[in-house]
Amino acid sequence: MTVNWAILGAGKFAREQMGPAIHAASGARLAALATSSADKAAPFKDFAPNVQVYDTYEAVLADPNIDAVYVPLPNHLHIEWATKALAAGKHVLSEKPIALRAADIDPLISLRDRTGLQVSEAFMIAHHPQWHRVRHLLADGAIGDLRHVDGVFTYNNPDLSNVRFDSAKGGGSLPDIGVYTIGGTRLATGQEPVEITHTDIDMLGGVDVAARVSARFDGFTAHWVTAMNIHATQSMTFLGTHGRIQLSAPFNPGKYGEATLELTQADGAMRVERWPAAQQYVLQVQAFSAATQGAEPFAWTLEDAKGTQRVIDAIYTADGSR
């Protein structure tokens, strides 16, 4: 069965990434788009000529032919429109972070459980084979006992009018990209931090433009760097007693660089694995569409999203930023 998708809003990310991914995914069809701008709708019609354009989000939710809704709106609107979509009987895939505080996710979990509908955060790296491989290698003891994780995700955005610099709309480097360094650590290890041991956060206009955070897990430590004012850099490194795993493009493979995993073990040899053709957004849509049909459980649940948000909440509290 083909799942009919709709997108609420016609922003850049939906236009360049998720819209084309929905259109390309097997078992999915981009059926509707909500935007009052014909100019913003035009690029979507270029790759999906039959997409139905509605003037309002409410009109999309009222369409009985829509099965699933993708919510790419500013961060502070995710919970509101995910809730409305569930109430309208639609499955929901929301951009990250799905909420601005961990406690805000609880009502959505309850609504999911009552309706039986699929609702998840669009944590696309959970669907990329390089992350599946990291989880397997760590679980298999390929680098011995894990001792430290180092994660970096930075970019330089000089446009202070961008929504990411708006505190009222959930801006900041931790909500925007800390979800990846922190969530990637949790995804790969299956563990939660037991303590935030250090924070060093640069604030501007009520949002964190750069954050350097250290945490302690059971048996290993982690250090995460996120920033919106530093040259674009992405890396994840897992250091063990007998080896190292390094991902060169862990979050935006293809756009940032080729998805490459370097495994160095006790013998000193480096083994390299590559995934040049993997399309994580398409894989995410396919997995979500399948989950709405009762296939395998979706790889990233609301509980998973809440776990990452709980860490971000703890970081702000430890730093005194909230």
Side-chain angles (χ1 to χ4, degrees):
M1 176 181 170
T2 298
V3 176
N4 288 323
W5 284 75
I7 300 177
L8 301 187
K12 180 179 179 181
F13 187 76
R15 179 177 71 248
E16 295 182 355
Q17 298 292 346
M18 283 298 291
I22 294 170
H23 181 67
S26 61
R29 183 174 77 93
L30 182 55
L33 171 70
T35 178
S36 59
S37 169
D39 289 341
K40 289 184 177 180
F44 290 84
K45 283 188 166 292
D46 286 343
F47 62 79
N50 296 322
V51 66
Q52 176 71 44
V53 179
Y54 291 94
D55 287 340
T56 67
Y57 304 155
E58 289 86 355
V60 166
L61 299 186
D63 185 341
N65 295 315
I66 298 302
D67 304 306
V69 172
Y70 168 62
V71 181
L73 303 172
N75 295 345
H76 69 301
L77 297 175
H78 292 168
I79 286 287
E80 175 186 350
W81 285 99
T83 300
K84 289 180 178 179
L86 284 176
K90 315 301 184 187
H91 303 284
V92 182
L93 182 65
S94 170
E95 261 313 316
K96 50 75 195 162
I98 199 166
L100 303 184
R101 285 178 171 79
D104 295 341
I105 302 175
D106 288 335
L108 204 60
I109 291 174
S110 297
L111 187 55
R112 175 202 64 190
D113 293 345
R114 289 200 305 272
T115 62
L117 293 166
Q118 180 71 37
V119 54
S120 299
E121 184 181 71
F123 193 56
M124 73 289 189
I125 70 170
H127 308 278
H128 197 290
Q130 70 174 337
W131 283 94
H132 299 172
R133 183 65 172 149
V134 171
R135 295 179 69 178
H136 172 76
L137 289 170
L138 291 176
D140 201 41
I143 60 171
D145 296 329
L146 182 64
R147 290 290 182 251
H148 183 73
V149 178
D150 193 76
V152 177
F153 194 169
T154 65
Y155 58 82
N156 190 356
N157 183 355
D159 181 10
L160 299 184
S161 68
N162 186 275
V163 68
R164 292 168 180 82
F165 292 94
D166 190 334
S167 60
K169 296 181 179 178
S173 75
L174 285 168
D176 187 39
I177 50 181
V179 291
Y180 293 118
T181 54
I182 296 166
T185 302
R186 297 177 55 251
L187 172 69
T189 65
Q191 290 200 39
E192 306 293 340
V194 296
E195 182 184 8
I196 302 300
T197 57
H198 176 77
T199 63
D200 180 10
I201 297 179
D202 301 334
M203 301 293 291
L204 177 66
V207 304
D208 59 288
V209 293
R212 296 155 290 270
V213 178
S214 297
R216 181 171 298 282
F217 289 71
D218 183 13
F220 67 94
T221 56
H223 185 68
W224 304 303
V225 176
T226 57
M228 304 189 295
N229 61 355
I230 294 177
H231 176 73
T233 301
Q234 297 183 25
S235 68
M236 284 292 293
T237 304
F238 301 83
L239 302 174
T241 53
H242 301 300
R244 178 182 68 243
I245 298 169
Q246 185 160 4
L247 300 180
S248 60
F251 311 121
N252 295 128
K255 180 178 180 180
Y256 178 77
E258 184 180 60
T260 301
L261 182 153
E262 297 179 355
L263 171 64
T264 304
Q265 294 177 292
D267 61 5
M270 178 186 293
R271 297 161 180 85
V272 180
E273 300 179 39
R274 293 182 169 87
W275 295 268
Q279 300 180 58
Q280 59 185 359
Y281 296 111
V282 174
L283 294 172
Q284 176 180 246
V285 172
Q286 290 176 172
F288 188 88
S289 297
T292 68
Q293 304 302 303
E296 282 190 27
F298 196 60
W300 193 253
T301 66
L302 289 180
E303 287 80 2
D304 292 321
K306 182 181 176 181
T308 295
Q309 189 59 48
R310 188 185 297 117
V311 178
I312 293 175
D313 290 350
I315 291 169
Y316 284 138
T317 298
D319 186 71
S321 302
R322 278 188 184 170

